[in-house]
Each structure stands twice: as structure tokens, then as C-alpha cells.
Amino acid sequence: QVQVVESGGDLVQAGGSLRLSCTVSGLTLDNYYLGWLRQAPGKEREGVSCIRWSGDSTYYADSVKGRATVSRDNGKNTLYLQMNSLKPEDTGMYYCAVVVTCNTIIYMTPRTSLRFWGQGTQVTVSS
């Protein structure tokens, strides 16, 4: 059984930092990409970042570029998202997803179907 578990969300002030974690179990990730997406209240899901599990290629949405760094610990099957200079517009539920291509994250729409993803971790940035 595949499990995807996110953690690290919190209430922070604008300008602060957070590191989100995502641990995946029950799946060999070598041929997959892992991505972060978020959803703010009343808004559509937005792809935030993506990384190839067995390589170095990464993707960042324009909204977080320069403020976010995605990384992974292959030995721990864990994905991280370091977010700095947080803004109130970064508020939302952050989800981790295992995908076969980063295009799923990059071109996310409300109809995008995700096979493996977690329950999310809440990030709230106060102004």
C-alpha cells in the first residue's frame, strides 16, 4: 500500500521560512517524479515544484521561484520543500504527489487526476 505523508506546515509571519517534508512508502520511486502542489481557499490547485527522483531536474512555479528549494533524501524516501520569504499569498494546503512526469505538476488543472498523493499540510502566512 502506497502512503504519502506530508508534514511541516505551520502558522508563520510574512518573511518567515518553513521546510515541508513528504515521506513516501510502499513504492519504488526511481522512475517517478515528486511534486508539490498547493490549494488556497477558494482557488484552484497550483503546481509549485517538481523534482526527478533519480536525477537533478527541477521545476518551480513563477510564484515561488527564487524563494523555494526542492530537495530529496533518497535513503529516507523523503521530499522536502524549503520556502523562504513567505508571503500571505503562499497560504494554503500543500500536497505532495508522486507523478510519472513533471508536466502533471506544471500543467495542473482542476481536472488533473493524481494517483498517489497525501492528505496535505497547512501553511498559513500572516501579514
Side-chain angles (χ1 to χ4, degrees):
Q1 182 181 356
V2 178
Q3 287 191 317
V4 180
V5 180
E6 303 94 337
S7 62
D10 205 348
L11 169 63
V12 297
Q13 288 189 331
S17 298
L18 278 177
R19 188 176 82 154
L20 307 182
S21 300
C22 166
T23 300
V24 181
S25 59
L27 187 67
T28 300
L29 297 174
D30 291 351
N31 296 320
Y32 289 96
Y33 294 75
L34 267 72
W36 289 98
L37 52 135
R38 66 186 181 187
Q39 187 165 24
K43 294 191 176 181
E44 297 178 355
R45 288 182 305 182
E46 173 192 17
V48 175
S49 182
C50 189
I51 186 170
R52 184 178 178 184
W53 190 252
S54 58
D56 295 326
S57 60
T58 58
Y59 157 79
Y60 297 96
D62 288 342
S63 56
V64 302
K65 202 170 290 183
R67 301 187 295 118
T69 302
V70 64
S71 62
R72 66 189 189 281
D73 184 329
N74 293 54
K76 295 182 179 180
N77 262 27
T78 299
L79 177 74
Y80 302 100
L81 182 69
Q82 177 70 41
M83 294 276 293
N84 301 320
S85 302
L86 284 161
K87 305 175 181 180
E89 51 263 44
D90 292 318
T91 293
M93 188 69 79
Y94 283 68
Y95 301 92
C96 171
V98 182
V99 295
V100 295
T101 169
C102 270
N103 285 342
T104 303
I105 303 298
I106 296 170
Y107 300 112
M108 179 149 295
T109 74
R111 288 191 294 272
T112 298
S113 176
L114 299 172
R115 183 177 180 187
F116 304 121
W117 59 316
Q119 296 298 309
T121 186
Q122 177 68 36
V123 172
T124 304
V125 184
S126 62
S127 57

